[in-house]
Amino acid sequence: MDGGNQSGESGFLLLGISEIPEQQSVLFWAFLSMYLVTVVGNVLIILAITSDSRLYTPMYFFLANLSFTDLFFVTNTIPKMLVNLQSQNKAISYAGCLTQLYLLVSLVALDNLILAVMAYDRYMAICCPLHYTTAMSPKLCVSLLALCWVLSVLYGLIHTLLMTRVIFCGSRKIHYIFCEMYVLLRLACSNTQVNHLALIVTGCFIFLTPLGFMILSYVWIIRAILRIPSATGKYKAFSTCASHLAVVSLFYGTLGMVYLQPLHTYSMKDSVATVMYAVVTPMMNPFIYSLRNKDMHGALGRLLLGKAFKRLP
């Protein structure tokens, strides 16, 4: 594993956050609990939306896809992490590491783009309510989602292919919970300037542009809400986008803690921030979207009560 100049075919060691056995046991149960809560929460959101015709609207269509993305995202990283916490063999193959990296990068980008599309949906609903139904047609919603998937797949493919050009030498120990872009680049002994340039250029397009779009959308949304004469109307309008605003803040806040820093300052202390965006954010999203959402409460109630009544003789 600690051999000379190789492209990485011998694989890596995913050491995780801690190598102390007592801490690993605590971490195992903590991550298992969070994973189960994330899976159950996001599956319930998807089932509630797909089983209730009242929620066949653009907002819930994108929310169901966001939950699917979060579900896929945690399944890409946490099961392997749980196995490593319980096993003496913490190796991950070179192909396995690149696959994990590709899915991780693609799904983070997809999460971000779906949040941007959801901001556009809220803008149309609040700023252009008379044209909302025709503007946010099913065809447009599917097209926007397809565009998000295409851009995310290309984004992940670019960075994964560039990573195959990187030469690794010396230690292959990754003190992290998964194969992460910055960590792998720090292990490289070849020139990674192309990788850094690609991260900056594509990052501006995939992350900063949608963020700017979301900020602009909310500026117009807030202006429209302030024009509403009644306090009740203002509260009702703001409540429809408060959940989305909370998720965007959580997503960019945790992501910024990890990536808004130079590569040479990137250290293992960033593992905590990584856990926040990779584990905690997907776990919290279902709670945020269903906490004060009466439509979601009703759909979840009908879903769960319907299942309970079907079991009765």
Side-chain angles (χ1 to χ4, degrees):
M1 279 285 197
D2 297 325
N5 231 17
Q6 303 170 47
S7 60
E9 282 78 358
S10 54
F12 302 92
L13 288 176
L14 279 175
L15 299 179
I17 298 174
S18 173
E19 296 182 67
I20 302 172
E22 292 78 11
Q23 291 182 356
Q24 287 187 343
S25 178
V26 174
L27 288 170
F28 173 81
W29 290 109
F31 282 121
L32 178 60
S33 301
M34 287 190 285
Y35 178 63
L36 292 176
V37 170
T38 303
V39 170
V40 171
N42 283 289
V43 167
L44 283 176
I45 291 289
I46 294 170
L47 290 177
I49 292 172
T50 54
S51 64
D52 196 327
S53 59
R54 299 176 186 85
L55 303 184
Y56 289 0
T57 64
M59 181 176 76
Y60 292 110
F61 170 73
F62 294 122
L63 176 56
N65 281 278
L66 184 69
S67 290
F68 173 78
T69 305
D70 287 340
L71 192 60
F72 198 2
F73 182 85
V74 294
T75 302
N76 174 47
T77 54
I78 298 184
K80 175 62 178 174
M81 184 203 318
L82 294 174
V83 171
N84 287 350
L85 286 170
Q86 290 293 94
S87 171
Q88 295 298 317
N89 180 17
K90 303 182 185 300
I92 183 170
S93 67
Y94 178 66
C97 190
L98 285 187
T99 301
Q100 193 178 70
L101 174 68
Y102 169 73
L103 292 173
L104 176 72
V105 171
S106 299
L107 293 171
V108 169
L110 182 59
D111 238 13
N112 172 67
L113 292 171
I114 290 177
L115 287 173
V117 171
M118 292 175 76
Y120 175 70
D121 171 70
R122 291 300 82 206
Y123 164 78
M124 291 301 300
I126 294 173
C127 298
C128 308
L130 297 178
H131 304 287
Y132 177 71
T133 304
T134 52
M136 296 301 294
S137 64
K139 183 178 179 181
L140 178 63
C141 292
V142 172
S143 299
L144 288 172
L145 183 64
L147 179 62
C148 291
W149 272 96
V150 170
L151 291 175
S152 302
V153 167
L154 290 175
Y155 179 73
L157 197 59
I158 288 169
H159 290 294
T160 306
L161 290 176
L162 286 174
M163 191 61 72
T164 61
R165 301 173 62 252
V166 174
I167 304 297
F168 298 96
C169 54
S171 176
R172 303 297 176 80
K173 295 178 180 179
I174 300 177
H175 293 270
Y176 236 60
I177 57 178
F178 47 72
C179 290
E180 200 275 336
M181 178 77 70
Y182 272 23
V183 176
L184 290 176
L185 289 177
R186 288 203 67 177
L187 293 177
C189 56
S190 60
N191 191 316
T192 58
Q193 286 185 347
V194 175
N195 299 73
H196 295 160
L197 182 61
L199 277 171
I200 294 170
V201 174
T202 59
C204 288
F205 177 70
I206 292 291
F207 291 98
L208 294 185
T209 301
L211 177 60
F213 175 78
M214 283 186 271
I215 292 171
L216 190 60
S217 296
Y218 272 103
V219 168
W220 287 102
I221 287 171
I222 291 170
R223 288 182 62 182
I225 291 175
L226 291 176
R227 292 196 190 102
I228 299 173
S230 68
T232 305
K234 289 178 180 176
Y235 175 80
K236 186 177 180 181
F238 183 75
S239 64
T240 63
C241 55
S243 298
H244 176 261
L245 193 57
V247 170
V248 169
S249 301
L250 183 62
F251 177 81
Y252 274 99
T254 53
L255 209 62
M257 288 168 63
V258 179
Y259 297 110
L260 289 183
Q261 58 180 308
L263 182 60
H264 68 272
T265 66
Y266 201 64
S267 64
M268 295 310 109
K269 66 180 176 60
D270 297 301
S271 292
V272 177
T274 302
V275 169
M276 286 294 293
Y277 92 79
V279 182
V280 176
T281 301
M283 181 182 70
M284 292 302 297
N285 284 355
F287 292 101
I288 293 172
Y289 273 106
S290 60
L291 191 61
R292 298 175 66 183
N293 190 316
K294 292 181 180 179
D295 292 335
M296 189 59 69
H297 285 172
L300 287 170
R302 286 185 289 273
L303 174 69
L304 297 175
L305 290 175
K307 297 291 183 184
F309 283 128
K310 284 181 181 178
R311 291 194 185 96
L312 294 176

